[in-house]
Amino acid sequence: MKRFSLFLVGYLCVLGSLFAQLPTQPNPLVPQVIPQSPSFSTFQPPSPHLQLRQQQHQEAMQRQQQVLRQHQQAIEEFKAYQRQAEIRKRQEAYAKQMIRYNLGYKASPQATAHYRKAFRILNAMLEGTMPLSLRDAVFAVENAYHNDTLDQAAFNQSIEDIASLLKAYVKKKKYAFTTDFEKNSALVYLMQNGIRAKHPVTKKKTTIVPFRYDFEDYWGREDHTKMFVTKLLRTGSGNCHSMPLLYLLVAEALETKASLAFAPNHSYVMFQDEAGKWLNYEATNQFMASDQLMMGSGFIKAEAIQHGIYMTPLSKKEAVAQCLVDLTLGYEAKFGMDDTIAHFVSPIPKHAPRDIHGHMTMANYLTALWASVEKQLLEKKEDYKERKDLEKFPKAKRALMERNLLYKTLDDLGHEPIPAEIYERWLNQIQQAKQATHE
Amino acid sequence: MILTLLYGLNSYAQEEAAAANFIDSTQAPQAVESAYEQAYKQLVAMLTQKQPYSLKEAVFAVENAYFDQRLSYERFSQSLALLAKLSKRYAKANPVQKYEERDEAQVNLAGAIFKVLTDTTSLMDKQAQVWYHLPYTYDFQDVWGEQEWVNTFVVKLLTLKSGNCHSLPLLYKLVAEELDVPAYLALAPNHMYIKQRSLAAGWYNTELTSATFPMDAWLSASGYIHTDAIRNRVYMDTLSQAYTLALCLVDLAQGYAQKKPADHQAFVLKCLDLALAYYPHFAKAMVLKADVLSKELLALQAEYGVDNIQALKEKPTVKPLYTSVEQLYIRAYKLGYRNVTKEMYVRWLQEMQNAQLNNQKP
């Protein structure tokens, strides 16, 4: 004990002497101030020797100051580096703990620029700052997928050509072509049989061959361009997405009323007869279908009709809102599921509240988001083992609840997936039809 | 059929027989007007929420009025409670296989009610004696209660074990309400059935008349249902509590009209107007109201001595009545209301049964 106190006293003395010496040391960082002004008491010029010495002294001082500045700078740089490293370290530690409640972006802003441009066009149409045009909307969607390389004038021309050839055809045949029903009937005839007529501008005899259903990859899973009207115009064959759309684009050019309508995984055309009754035109195999056939083959329940999600003619605004869903499909095929998709479908509920596909896309996004959140929870949080532990993570719980709520909305609206056996039967029918066409 | 074993029921047949005698001979019959007025007041009290909703009480009120207030409510509720008990036991003994959703218990009960009502249930009492509870079948003799209005009643169904598309779904719903199983009545042309929802299948239809589960597309295609009628929720939509009570009001009106066909139609119109106030797109009530009013028009036609009923439109005093009748018919038609003939209807019910049998074939 005694030895220890002695040691302590000695230690304190050393410390004391250290402290005592500290203030006496000159601060190396403060440069010494040298009086520069000449003395006012004597007006004699300074001797050359003195001048030389002063000059040397000044130069030495400047060098010294420069070294000091460099030193200072190096210290500051080092401190800044240390600060940054600390921030980075803290961020990394935080990221290890942090749960990301978004999916981020899968592609660079340059790569997705065309998509954002198309979104701006569609959104402007829905907001009313641009005129509603289904043709422009469809073009924007397809052009975005093709990286803004499609020729809009050529696209417009090919739609206008079909319309003007049809006009020339009915004029020559002296068919009635004034009411909406007559115009639609002529258009159905064109889609089904094709026409040959003299082009009113080029005066060339032109043939439009009947449009066919493309049995290869009819859902565009391998090649997304299979969904496109531009593909239908180029090859003459399309699917249940492009064929009704082409019909509607030509109807728009003819300034006649026709509407898009949905069945599960399917779209078709509706127009009114002269008594105002809505008719169904199945553009893929080109016949007029009864409501009951639509209901039966599409496995549609009464609730879906009551809520207007299936078998209900869409307004032009709703059709344009649906183009936003098409836009996300192309985006997803190209880049995968990310936050852009949620952003793209966000205007749909406001402008087309009964559009089921917007809800479905959002539900898919929220499912992907929840899967990501749950994966992060399992990886990063030790106190998360199963769904029961969600109570500790209110924000994650909200992500799951939001997803479940949307699925509930979908169920309430009457959307129900087609039962597997029914779907298989339908696929078989298509397969048979496909074989029949090959024979 | 698999023998169902249900323990713990004491002499089931006795209980059933005791409950099924509904006419209480100790009660003195009341005059038609007062009996109906009493039922009307009870329904109004439920509609205005002065009295809690109870379909059991509403249906009983309607049928009791026809029986001049001589039915026993106690026995009526007893027989419903017995069916509920039986269904509960059935669900316990024969749970639905391979169903793993959160609403399993509910689906089990719904399936049990369906089985108990449409199939023979065998049960064993404490003395190990086997009893059979027989199914409630469809009465093809008088499908719409034209011969005898009582044929549309739940008490008739409970007593004689045969009913029609009015009493069978009502009984199902009554038993379901006893067990707190959500079930909704839904309408089709000249028809009524049950709609329920399960997590696995979504909305599904239960058809008691043919003991089948038809799908919507089939119902609409074969049952002459216009798409507009679905869109306007005239058919194939679930009926809320208020709508169900409005339905009872129309039953009451029809019962009164059957009881007193020659009487002036004030009571009938009162019921129909109230039903339409709570259920504005109730097309059947519209058409019934128009029918009642057109009887008045026919009387006026005789009074004015005109050959063509349309000539009444010219008379300024009759014009409002004429146009209101016209408007009611037009509105019902536009909503998608349709009537089917009895032949069409019976064929439809049989088709439904055959379709089910065909589906069951391997």
Coordinates of all heavy atoms in Angstrom, one line a residue, chain A residues 172-219:
Chain A
K172 N -67.6 2.0 -102.4 CA -67.7 1.3 -103.6 C -68.8 0.2 -103.6 O -69.6 0.1 -104.6 CB -66.3 0.5 -103.9 CG -66.2 0.1 -105.4 CD -64.9 -0.6 -105.6 CE -65.0 -1.6 -106.7 NZ -64.1 -2.8 -106.4
K173 N -68.9 -0.4 -102.5 CA -70.0 -1.5 -102.3 C -71.3 -0.9 -102.0 O -72.3 -1.6 -101.9 CB -69.6 -2.5 -101.2 CG -68.4 -3.3 -101.5 CD -68.8 -4.6 -102.2 CE -67.5 -5.4 -102.5 NZ -67.9 -6.6 -103.2
K174 N -71.4 0.4 -101.8 CA -72.6 1.2 -101.4 C -73.2 0.6 -100.2 O -74.4 0.4 -100.1 CB -73.6 1.2 -102.6 CG -73.1 1.9 -103.8 CD -74.2 2.1 -104.8 CE -73.7 2.9 -106.0 NZ -72.8 2.2 -106.9
Y175 N -72.4 0.3 -99.2 CA -72.9 -0.2 -97.9 C -73.3 1.0 -97.1 O -72.7 2.0 -97.2 CB -71.9 -1.0 -97.2 CG -71.7 -2.4 -97.7 CD1 -70.4 -3.1 -97.5 CD2 -72.6 -3.1 -98.5 CE1 -70.2 -4.3 -98.1 CE2 -72.4 -4.3 -99.0 CZ -71.2 -4.9 -98.8 OH -70.9 -6.2 -99.3
A176 N -74.3 0.8 -96.2 CA -74.6 1.9 -95.2 C -73.5 2.1 -94.3 O -72.9 1.1 -93.8 CB -75.9 1.5 -94.5
F177 N -73.1 3.3 -94.0 CA -71.9 3.6 -93.2 C -72.0 4.9 -92.5 O -71.2 5.8 -92.6 CB -70.7 3.6 -94.2 CG -69.3 3.4 -93.4 CD1 -69.0 2.3 -92.8 CD2 -68.4 4.5 -93.4 CE1 -67.8 2.1 -92.2 CE2 -67.2 4.4 -92.7 CZ -66.9 3.2 -92.1
T178 N -73.1 5.1 -91.8 CA -73.3 6.3 -91.1 C -73.4 6.1 -89.6 O -72.7 6.8 -88.8 CB -74.6 7.1 -91.6 OG1 -75.6 6.1 -91.7 CG2 -74.4 7.8 -92.9
T179 N -74.2 5.2 -89.1 CA -74.3 5.0 -87.7 C -73.2 4.2 -87.1 O -72.4 3.6 -87.8 CB -75.6 4.2 -87.3 OG1 -75.5 2.9 -87.8 CG2 -76.8 4.8 -87.9
D180 N -73.0 4.3 -85.8 CA -71.9 3.6 -85.1 C -72.0 2.1 -85.3 O -71.0 1.4 -85.5 CB -72.0 3.8 -83.6 CG -71.5 5.2 -83.2 OD1 -70.7 5.8 -84.0 OD2 -71.9 5.7 -82.1
F181 N -73.3 1.6 -85.3 CA -73.5 0.2 -85.5 C -73.0 -0.3 -86.9 O -72.4 -1.3 -87.1 CB -74.9 -0.2 -85.3 CG -75.2 -1.7 -85.4 CD1 -74.6 -2.6 -84.7 CD2 -76.1 -2.1 -86.4 CE1 -74.8 -3.9 -84.8 CE2 -76.4 -3.4 -86.6 CZ -75.7 -4.4 -85.8
E182 N -73.4 0.6 -87.9 CA -73.0 0.2 -89.3 C -71.4 0.3 -89.4 O -70.8 -0.6 -90.1 CB -73.6 1.2 -90.3 CG -75.1 0.9 -90.5 CD -75.9 2.1 -91.0 OE1 -75.3 3.2 -91.3 OE2 -77.1 2.0 -91.2
K183 N -70.8 1.3 -88.9 CA -69.4 1.4 -88.9 C -68.7 0.2 -88.2 O -67.7 -0.4 -88.8 CB -68.9 2.7 -88.3 CG -69.2 3.9 -89.2 CD -68.7 5.2 -88.5 CE -69.0 6.4 -89.4 NZ -68.7 7.6 -88.7
N184 N -69.2 -0.2 -87.1 CA -68.7 -1.3 -86.4 C -68.8 -2.6 -87.1 O -68.0 -3.4 -87.2 CB -69.3 -1.4 -85.0 CG -68.6 -0.6 -83.9 OD1 -67.4 -0.7 -83.8 ND2 -69.3 0.3 -83.3
S185 N -70.0 -2.7 -87.8 CA -70.3 -4.0 -88.5 C -69.2 -4.1 -89.7 O -68.7 -5.1 -89.9 CB -71.7 -3.9 -89.1 OG -72.6 -3.7 -88.1
A186 N -69.0 -2.9 -90.3 CA -68.0 -2.9 -91.4 C -66.6 -3.3 -90.9 O -65.9 -4.0 -91.5 CB -68.0 -1.6 -92.1
L187 N -66.3 -2.8 -89.7 CA -65.0 -3.0 -89.1 C -64.9 -4.5 -88.8 O -63.8 -5.1 -89.0 CB -64.8 -2.1 -87.9 CG -63.4 -2.0 -87.3 CD1 -62.4 -1.8 -88.4 CD2 -63.4 -0.9 -86.3
V188 N -65.9 -5.1 -88.3 CA -65.9 -6.5 -87.9 C -65.7 -7.3 -89.2 O -64.9 -8.3 -89.3 CB -67.3 -7.0 -87.3 CG1 -67.4 -8.5 -87.3 CG2 -67.4 -6.4 -85.9
Y189 N -66.3 -6.9 -90.3 CA -66.2 -7.6 -91.6 C -64.7 -7.5 -92.0 O -64.1 -8.5 -92.5 CB -67.1 -6.9 -92.6 CG -66.9 -7.5 -94.0 CD1 -67.7 -8.6 -94.4 CD2 -66.1 -7.0 -95.0 CE1 -67.6 -9.2 -95.6 CE2 -65.9 -7.5 -96.2 CZ -66.7 -8.7 -96.5 OH -66.5 -9.2 -97.8
L190 N -64.1 -6.3 -91.9 CA -62.7 -6.1 -92.3 C -61.8 -7.0 -91.5 O -60.9 -7.7 -92.0 CB -62.3 -4.7 -92.1 CG -60.9 -4.3 -92.4 CD1 -60.9 -2.9 -93.0 CD2 -60.0 -4.3 -91.2
M191 N -61.9 -7.1 -90.2 CA -61.1 -7.9 -89.3 C -61.2 -9.4 -89.7 O -60.2 -10.1 -89.7 CB -61.5 -7.8 -87.8 CG -61.3 -6.4 -87.2 SD -59.6 -5.9 -86.9 CE -59.2 -6.9 -85.5
Q192 N -62.4 -9.8 -90.1 CA -62.7 -11.2 -90.3 C -62.3 -11.6 -91.7 O -61.7 -12.7 -91.9 CB -64.2 -11.3 -90.1 CG -64.6 -12.7 -89.7 CD -66.0 -12.6 -89.1 OE1 -66.5 -11.5 -88.8 NE2 -66.6 -13.7 -88.9
N193 N -62.7 -10.8 -92.7 CA -62.5 -11.2 -94.1 C -61.4 -10.5 -94.9 O -61.0 -11.0 -95.9 CB -63.8 -11.0 -94.9 CG -64.9 -11.7 -94.2 OD1 -64.9 -12.9 -93.9 ND2 -66.0 -11.0 -93.8
G194 N -61.0 -9.4 -94.4 CA -60.0 -8.6 -95.1 C -60.7 -7.9 -96.3 O -61.9 -8.2 -96.6
I195 N -60.1 -6.9 -96.9 CA -60.8 -6.2 -98.0 C -59.7 -5.8 -99.0 O -58.5 -5.9 -98.8 CB -61.4 -4.8 -97.5 CG1 -60.5 -4.0 -96.7 CG2 -62.7 -5.1 -96.8 CD1 -61.0 -2.6 -96.5
R196 N -60.2 -5.5 -100.2 CA -59.3 -5.0 -101.3 C -60.0 -3.8 -101.8 O -61.2 -3.8 -102.2 CB -59.2 -6.1 -102.4 CG -58.2 -5.7 -103.4 CD -57.8 -6.9 -104.3 NE -57.0 -6.4 -105.5 CZ -55.8 -6.1 -105.4 NH1 -55.1 -6.1 -104.3 NH2 -55.1 -5.7 -106.5
A197 N -59.3 -2.7 -101.8 CA -59.9 -1.4 -102.2 C -58.8 -0.5 -102.7 O -57.6 -0.7 -102.5 CB -60.6 -0.7 -101.1
K198 N -59.2 0.6 -103.5 CA -58.3 1.5 -104.0 C -58.0 2.6 -102.9 O -59.0 3.2 -102.4 CB -58.9 2.2 -105.2 CG -57.9 2.8 -106.1 CD -58.6 3.7 -107.1 CE -58.3 3.4 -108.5 NZ -59.1 4.2 -109.5
H199 N -56.8 2.8 -102.7 CA -56.4 3.8 -101.7 C -56.8 5.2 -102.1 O -56.4 5.6 -103.3 CB -54.9 3.8 -101.3 CG -54.5 4.5 -100.1 ND1 -54.5 5.8 -100.0 CD2 -54.3 4.0 -98.8 CE1 -54.1 6.2 -98.8 NE2 -54.0 5.1 -98.1
P200 N -57.6 6.0 -101.4 CA -58.0 7.3 -101.9 C -56.9 8.3 -102.2 O -57.1 9.2 -103.0 CB -58.9 7.8 -100.7 CG -58.6 6.9 -99.6 CD -58.1 5.6 -100.0
V201 N -55.8 8.1 -101.5 CA -54.7 9.1 -101.8 C -53.7 8.6 -102.8 O -53.5 9.2 -103.8 CB -54.0 9.5 -100.5 CG1 -52.8 10.5 -100.7 CG2 -54.9 10.0 -99.4
T202 N -53.2 7.4 -102.6 CA -52.1 6.9 -103.5 C -52.7 6.3 -104.8 O -52.0 6.0 -105.7 CB -51.3 5.8 -102.8 OG1 -52.1 4.8 -102.4 CG2 -50.5 6.4 -101.6
K203 N -54.1 6.1 -104.7 CA -54.8 5.5 -105.9 C -54.3 4.1 -106.2 O -54.4 3.7 -107.3 CB -54.7 6.4 -107.1 CG -55.2 7.9 -106.9 CD -56.7 7.9 -106.7 CE -57.1 9.4 -106.4 NZ -58.4 9.4 -105.7
K204 N -53.7 3.5 -105.2 CA -53.2 2.1 -105.5 C -54.2 1.1 -105.0 O -54.8 1.3 -103.9 CB -51.8 1.9 -104.8 CG -50.7 2.0 -105.7 CD -49.5 1.5 -104.9 CE -48.2 2.4 -105.1 NZ -47.3 2.2 -104.1
K205 N -54.4 0.0 -105.7 CA -55.2 -1.1 -105.2 C -54.5 -1.7 -104.1 O -53.3 -2.2 -104.2 CB -55.5 -2.1 -106.3 CG -56.7 -1.7 -107.1 CD -57.8 -2.7 -106.8 CE -59.1 -2.3 -107.5 NZ -60.3 -3.0 -106.9
T206 N -55.1 -1.8 -102.9 CA -54.4 -2.4 -101.7 C -55.3 -3.5 -101.1 O -56.5 -3.3 -101.1 CB -54.1 -1.3 -100.7 OG1 -53.6 -0.1 -101.3 CG2 -53.1 -1.8 -99.6
T207 N -54.6 -4.5 -100.6 CA -55.4 -5.6 -100.0 C -55.0 -5.6 -98.5 O -53.9 -5.5 -98.1 CB -55.0 -7.0 -100.6 OG1 -55.1 -6.9 -102.0 CG2 -55.9 -8.1 -100.1
I208 N -56.1 -5.8 -97.7 CA -55.8 -6.0 -96.3 C -56.2 -7.5 -96.0 O -57.4 -7.8 -96.3 CB -56.7 -5.1 -95.4 CG1 -56.3 -3.6 -95.6 CG2 -56.4 -5.4 -93.9 CD1 -57.1 -2.6 -94.8
V209 N -55.3 -8.3 -95.6 CA -55.6 -9.7 -95.4 C -56.3 -9.8 -94.0 O -56.0 -9.0 -93.1 CB -54.4 -10.6 -95.5 CG1 -54.0 -10.7 -96.9 CG2 -53.3 -10.2 -94.6
P210 N -57.2 -10.8 -93.8 CA -57.8 -10.9 -92.5 C -56.7 -11.1 -91.4 O -55.7 -11.8 -91.6 CB -58.7 -12.1 -92.6 CG -58.4 -12.8 -93.9 CD -57.7 -11.8 -94.8
F211 N -57.0 -10.5 -90.2 CA -56.0 -10.7 -89.1 C -56.2 -12.0 -88.5 O -57.3 -12.5 -88.3 CB -56.3 -9.6 -88.1 CG -55.9 -8.2 -88.7 CD1 -56.9 -7.4 -89.2 CD2 -54.6 -7.8 -88.8 CE1 -56.5 -6.1 -89.7 CE2 -54.2 -6.6 -89.3 CZ -55.2 -5.8 -89.8
R212 N -55.1 -12.7 -88.2 CA -55.1 -14.0 -87.6 C -54.6 -14.0 -86.2 O -54.0 -13.1 -85.7 CB -54.2 -14.9 -88.4 CG -54.7 -15.3 -89.8 CD -53.6 -16.1 -90.6 NE -52.5 -15.3 -90.9 CZ -51.3 -15.4 -90.3 NH1 -51.1 -16.3 -89.4 NH2 -50.3 -14.6 -90.6
Y213 N -55.0 -15.1 -85.5 CA -54.5 -15.3 -84.1 C -53.2 -16.0 -84.1 O -53.0 -16.9 -84.9 CB -55.5 -16.1 -83.3 CG -55.3 -16.2 -81.8 CD1 -55.5 -15.1 -81.0 CD2 -54.8 -17.4 -81.2 CE1 -55.2 -15.2 -79.7 CE2 -54.5 -17.4 -79.9 CZ -54.8 -16.3 -79.1 OH -54.5 -16.4 -77.8
D214 N -52.3 -15.5 -83.3 CA -50.9 -16.1 -83.3 C -50.8 -17.1 -82.2 O -50.8 -16.7 -81.0 CB -49.9 -14.9 -83.1 CG -48.5 -15.4 -83.2 OD1 -48.3 -16.6 -83.3 OD2 -47.6 -14.6 -83.0
F215 N -50.8 -18.3 -82.5 CA -50.8 -19.4 -81.4 C -49.4 -19.5 -80.8 O -49.3 -20.2 -79.7 CB -51.2 -20.7 -82.0 CG -52.7 -20.7 -82.2 CD1 -53.3 -20.6 -83.5 CD2 -53.6 -20.9 -81.2 CE1 -54.6 -20.6 -83.7 CE2 -55.0 -20.9 -81.4 CZ -55.5 -20.8 -82.6
E216 N -48.4 -19.0 -81.3 CA -47.1 -19.1 -80.7 C -46.9 -18.0 -79.6 O -47.1 -16.8 -79.8 CB -46.0 -18.8 -81.8 CG -45.9 -19.7 -83.0 CD -45.4 -21.1 -82.6 OE1 -44.6 -21.2 -81.7 OE2 -45.7 -22.0 -83.4
D217 N -46.7 -18.5 -78.4 CA -46.4 -17.6 -77.3 C -47.5 -16.5 -77.2 O -47.2 -15.3 -77.1 CB -45.0 -17.0 -77.5 CG -44.6 -16.2 -76.3 OD1 -45.1 -16.4 -75.2 OD2 -43.7 -15.3 -76.4
Y218 N -48.8 -16.9 -77.1 CA -49.9 -16.0 -77.2 C -50.0 -15.1 -75.9 O -50.8 -14.2 -75.9 CB -51.2 -16.7 -77.4 CG -51.4 -17.9 -76.6 CD1 -51.8 -17.9 -75.3 CD2 -51.0 -19.2 -77.2 CE1 -51.9 -19.0 -74.6 CE2 -51.2 -20.3 -76.5 CZ -51.6 -20.2 -75.1 OH -51.7 -21.4 -74.4
W219 N -49.2 -15.4 -74.9 CA -49.2 -14.4 -73.7 C -47.9 -13.6 -73.7 O -47.7 -12.9 -72.7 CB -49.4 -15.2 -72.4 CG -50.8 -15.4 -72.1 CD1 -51.9 -14.8 -72.8 CD2 -51.4 -16.2 -71.1 NE1 -53.1 -15.2 -72.3 CE2 -52.8 -16.1 -71.2 CE3 -50.9 -17.0 -70.1 CZ2 -53.7 -16.7 -70.4 CZ3 -51.8 -17.6 -69.2 CH2 -53.1 -17.5 -69.4

